[in-house]
Amino acid sequence: MESRIGTAVGGTAHAEPVSVPELLNRTRALCTPPLRAAVARLAAPMDTVAAYHFGWIDRNGTPVAGDGGKAVRPALALLSAQAAGAPAEAGVPGGVAVELVHNFSLLHDDLMDGDETRRHRATAWTVFGPAQAILVGDALATLGTEVLLDAATTGGASAADAARAVRLLNTASRRLIDGQAMDVAFEQRDTVTVAECLEMEGGKTAALLSAASALGAVLAGADDRAADCLQRFGEHLGLAFQAVDDLLGIWGATEVTGKPHWGDLRQRKKSLPVAAALAEGGEASRELAEQLADPQGRGEESETELAARALLIEKAGGRAWTQEEARRQHTTALAALDEVPMPDVVREHFVALAEFVVVRER
Amino acid sequence: MESRIGTAVGGTAHAEPVSVPELLNRTRALCTPPLRAAVARLAAPMDTVAAYHFGWIDRNGTPVAGDGGKAVRPALALLSAQAAGAPAEAGVPGGVAVELVHNFSLLHDDLMDGDETRRHRATAWTVFGPAQAILVGDALATLGTEVLLDAATTGGASAADAARAVRLLNTASRRLIDGQAMDVAFEQRDTVTVAECLEMEGGKTAALLSAASALGAVLAGADDRAADCLQRFGEHLGLAFQAVDDLLGIWGATEVTGKPHWGDLRQRKKSLPVAAALAEGGEASRELAEQLADPQGRGEESETELAARALLIEKAGGRAWTQEEARRQHTTALAALDEVPMPDVVREHFVALAEFVVVRER
């Protein structure tokens, strides 16, 4: 396929984004209208529940001005289309589909986990009830498949490539569900191993970033080898992303993350720093294990106690190990990217986006 | 494609089933092993929850001898492959996929509706908790798509036909979800129109029977016209099936249906006989409307009061209208079947199965 990089947006090379914020803005400009159109296909009242969940309206139905989220997943889908020599637009069905599947999982996970807020807003199940959260999650999952199949009838992809894209997304959905199943099972346990934690995070975070990084390329007809490399890039980027998330969940400043102080520790979340600290086996590690095995005071720890626990995790090497793990995964991701031939400007975008994802404060 | 009817099972014409029970037995023999294999791919503990839901094990994990359900949906899928001139085996991925999607919807619906028993057994969410019911439902839905895509790699279908099959199933899933959304919304209302009731039942029952009736044919490479006719056959058969179900929900003998006496009336379910009776407008119709609008005594009606309500529905013509509707839909289904050329033995099976579905006592 002839390379059309530089003419993808607006028909001139000048339109190619020059920064990550510009890249994300372009992504939202291309993906939000078809995402809204897909959601508008849902029967009432599911369309309203979905629009609330996406942050487009408030609980009274009044439109809300929002940035529509970070849009990292659809940005990867658009870049992967460009990597295959197609315009960014060819990746749009992939970008829309990953957003739909991501939000299907958020709707169901929030309900299963009993989470009452997400990004400072009441979660959908608390506003519209559990039945609507289940229904709308189910509907978004099927819409994701529909959008990819439509790419073959209206979006310029071949039927075979649309089917490859559906398989890619469906496999990611299965891993998402497996990851959430592990997360739910871990709730009942005092400890998890680093390997279990990585497998869970592979499902909950890496699977969809992996699919996103290849979906646009697959829709644009890329060969399996290129698609595999792009998937590996997304997989390792996802693991790096989650390692950073786990660090911020303990040591991130509340005013930046928007999450409660020591929230992950208070919930006794089985995150990488904790699993790594428990695996270390020294004095701090053993003391941490004792604290986590103690059913007393669960969820009622004081700020001081939680700060002391964070220090134990750090002393047992959990913080340093996770920082190193994030760097390792980031490096492995970039190595996978190097295996795929693509226009320089596209590679630069991928690298900048990976940096943005891994080096962040929230 | 060369017709292989008669050699589909066992290699001889004698192996072709000669009765509906034999047809259903053959269906279970062909579809249950791959269905179990698909479910076994789920990560623990979801595989156990699914096996319990399907009735293969009890709550302690002990294997249970069961007939595996009526298997009408997979039987339709297998017949539709034969209608397209392929062996019944070519429809197996379709049969497995519709069972997976059907059970995804049962798992989620039972939770949403708060139903504590299904076929005399405790529902999965009451045994394993709501989170497992959500997760396993999600997993079965994705498995359904996976099984159809696998048909292209291992089952002999072309990639394009597998993609057509995925679209067929995905559209049915969307309608299933829409139907359940209507059902949930109707819970808050005193009355629904006949048209609304038919639309809801079209989603909840007819959509999947419609997809089942064409999935095998699509996997076997049937043209769009044949697939459309088979879908219409399944659609009208589904509406006939649901009309009969609605009649049995009010006038079926408890010892035969296994459902509580007057259960549908006690729950004030918006079924066809009720909607038709309300639409009639005469004296009995108005009295019925008054009773249903009265919030007093909801769910606490005596047997005598419910028997009187059933009589009101009958007086207002709701029973006769629904009986006539079942006959009408059955006739329309058979007319659609007549439009598709197929071997006589396959048509006879379709006709016998349709008769079995519509003329039943449970």
Side-chain angles (χ1 to χ4, degrees):
Chain A
M1 188 178 285
E2 186 197 354
S3 172
R4 278 166 286 183
I5 298 297
T7 62
V9 178
T12 72
H14 303 295
E16 195 60 25
V18 296
S19 67
V20 169
E22 263 190 40
L23 185 71
L24 296 175
N25 278 338
R26 176 189 69 170
T27 302
R28 283 188 286 264
L30 286 174
C31 291
T32 304
L35 178 63
R36 282 180 175 246
V39 167
R41 293 209 288 265
L42 298 180
M46 294 189 287
D47 52 350
T48 303
V49 177
Y52 171 84
H53 168 78
F54 277 104
W56 301 332
I57 58 173
D58 66 17
R59 65 170 72 208
N60 304 313
T62 310
V64 171
D67 67 356
K70 280 202 289 285
V72 167
R73 289 171 191 80
L76 289 167
L78 267 51
L79 283 178
S80 83
Q82 292 186 289
E89 282 82 350
V92 166
V96 172
V98 291
E99 283 293 82
L100 289 166
V101 167
H102 177 54
N103 284 285
F104 135 66
S105 78
L106 294 182
L107 278 163
H108 282 191
D109 290 1
D110 284 343
L111 174 59
M112 282 183 243
D113 301 341
D115 289 337
E116 295 180 0
T117 59
R118 168 172 296 283
R119 289 199 202 162
H120 311 283
R121 298 174 77 231
T123 45
W125 71 270
T126 67
V127 178
F128 300 100
Q132 290 301 327
I134 296 172
L135 279 170
V136 175
D138 291 345
L140 295 185
T142 60
L143 266 187
T145 302
E146 196 168 296
V147 164
L148 290 181
L149 291 168
D150 286 347
T153 47
T154 59
S158 76
D161 288 335
R164 286 167 74 206
V166 169
R167 180 181 284 276
L168 195 58
L169 187 68
N170 199 60
T171 302
S173 297
R174 284 255 281 127
R175 287 185 60 203
L176 260 177
I177 296 162
D178 285 352
Q180 173 66 8
M182 292 187 78
D183 204 8
V184 167
F186 291 170
E187 285 280 314
Q188 311 300 321
R189 293 166 51 177
D190 296 326
T191 70
V192 300
T193 67
V194 170
E196 288 172 328
C197 191
L198 285 172
E199 192 186 341
M200 186 259 285
E201 298 188 345
K204 288 199 71 163
T205 306
L208 202 54
L209 280 162
S210 174
S213 300
L215 266 175
V218 164
L219 289 170
D223 61 35
D224 282 342
R225 212 195 91 74
D228 286 349
C229 292
L230 287 168
Q231 273 186 265
R232 273 191 288 121
F233 163 76
E235 181 80 22
H236 293 291
L237 183 62
L239 289 169
F241 176 93
Q242 189 57 52
V244 172
D245 224 50
D246 285 357
L247 288 166
L248 292 172
I250 298 178
W251 294 280
T254 295
E255 57 274 25
V256 180
T257 61
K259 291 172 186 168
H261 207 38
W262 310 123
D264 280 8
L265 290 184
R266 200 181 296 278
Q267 288 180 36
R268 302 204 181 183
K269 198 178 146 193
K270 277 78 180 181
S271 67
L272 269 186
V274 177
L278 289 170
E280 189 254 358
E283 196 181 329
S285 175
R286 288 196 302 275
E287 196 179 330
L288 177 67
E290 272 170 36
Q291 286 189 11
L292 294 178
D294 184 4
Q296 292 292 319
R298 201 181 174 106
E300 287 164 15
E301 294 93 340
S302 67
E303 291 270 317
T304 316
E305 286 170 311
L306 293 172
R309 187 169 300 167
L311 203 59
L312 274 184
I313 295 169
E314 191 160 355
K315 274 189 189 159
R319 186 176 192 174
W321 187 91
T322 307
Q323 287 167 331
E324 184 51 35
E325 170 70 5
R327 271 189 291 271
R328 238 185 340 254
Q329 296 291 354
H330 184 199
T331 304
T332 312
L334 295 180
L337 195 68
D338 280 342
E339 295 179 45
V340 192
M342 66 181 76
D344 287 345
V345 61
V346 180
R347 190 180 309 277
E348 283 158 21
H349 287 334
F350 266 126
V351 171
L353 194 56
E355 181 88 7
F356 171 79
V357 161
V358 174
V359 183
R360 65 191 162 111
E361 292 178 325
R362 61 191 173 109
Chain B
M1 190 177 285
E2 185 196 358
S3 171
R4 279 165 286 182
I5 297 299
T7 62
V9 178
T12 72
H14 303 295
E16 194 61 25
V18 297
S19 69
V20 169
E22 263 190 40
L23 185 71
L24 297 176
N25 279 336
R26 176 188 70 168
T27 301
R28 283 187 286 265
L30 287 174
C31 291
T32 305
L35 178 62
R36 282 180 176 247
V39 167
R41 292 209 289 264
L42 297 180
M46 293 188 289
D47 52 351
T48 304
V49 177
Y52 172 84
H53 169 78
F54 276 104
W56 302 333
I57 58 173
D58 66 17
R59 65 170 73 208
N60 304 311
T62 310
V64 172
D67 68 354
K70 282 202 288 284
V72 167
R73 290 171 191 80
L76 290 168
L78 267 52
L79 284 177
S80 82
Q82 292 186 290
E89 283 82 348
V92 167
V96 173
V98 289
E99 283 294 81
L100 289 166
V101 167
H102 177 52
N103 285 284
F104 135 66
S105 78
L106 295 182
L107 278 163
H108 282 190
D109 290 2
D110 284 344
L111 174 59
M112 282 183 243
D113 301 342
D115 289 339
E116 294 179 2
T117 59
R118 168 171 297 280
R119 291 201 202 159
H120 310 284
R121 298 174 78 230
T123 45
W125 71 269
T126 67
V127 178
F128 300 99
Q132 290 301 326
I134 296 172
L135 278 170
V136 176
D138 291 344
L140 295 184
T142 60
L143 266 186
T145 302
E146 195 168 297
V147 163
L148 291 180
L149 291 169
D150 285 347
T153 46
T154 61
S158 76
D161 288 335
R164 286 167 73 206
V166 169
R167 180 181 284 277
L168 195 58
L169 186 68
N170 199 62
T171 303
S173 296
R174 284 256 280 131
R175 286 185 59 203
L176 261 178
I177 297 162
D178 285 352
Q180 172 66 7
M182 291 187 79
D183 204 9
V184 167
F186 291 172
E187 285 282 314
Q188 313 299 324
R189 293 167 50 177
D190 296 326
T191 70
V192 301
T193 67
V194 169
E196 288 172 328
C197 191
L198 285 172
E199 191 186 342
M200 187 258 287
E201 297 188 346
K204 287 200 71 162
T205 306
L208 202 54
L209 280 162
S210 174
S213 300
L215 265 176
V218 165
L219 289 170
D223 61 35
D224 282 343
R225 211 195 93 73
D228 285 349
C229 292
L230 288 168
Q231 273 186 265
R232 271 192 289 121
F233 162 77
E235 181 80 22
H236 293 290
L237 183 62
L239 289 169
F241 176 95
Q242 189 57 51
V244 173
D245 223 52
D246 285 355
L247 289 166
L248 292 172
I250 298 177
W251 293 282
T254 295
E255 56 274 25
V256 181
T257 60
K259 290 173 187 169
H261 207 40
W262 309 123
D264 280 8
L265 290 184
R266 202 182 295 278
Q267 287 179 38
R268 300 201 182 185
K269 198 179 146 192
K270 278 78 179 182
S271 68
L272 269 185
V274 177
L278 289 170
E280 190 254 359
E283 196 181 326
S285 175
R286 285 196 303 275
E287 196 178 330
L288 177 66
E290 272 169 36
Q291 286 188 12
L292 294 178
D294 184 2
Q296 292 293 318
R298 202 181 174 105
E300 288 164 16
E301 294 93 341
S302 68
E303 291 269 318
T304 316
E305 286 170 311
L306 293 173
R309 188 169 302 167
L311 202 61
L312 274 185
I313 296 170
E314 191 160 354
K315 274 189 188 157
R319 186 176 192 174
W321 187 90
T322 307
Q323 287 167 332
E324 185 50 38
E325 170 70 5
R327 272 189 291 270
R328 238 184 340 254
Q329 295 291 353
H330 185 198
T331 305
T332 313
L334 295 179
L337 196 67
D338 280 341
E339 294 179 48
V340 192
M342 67 180 79
D344 286 346
V345 63
V346 180
R347 190 181 309 278
E348 283 159 20
H349 287 332
F350 266 126
V351 171
L353 193 58
E355 182 86 8
F356 171 81
V357 161
V358 174
V359 184
R360 66 191 161 113
E361 291 177 327
R362 62 191 174 106

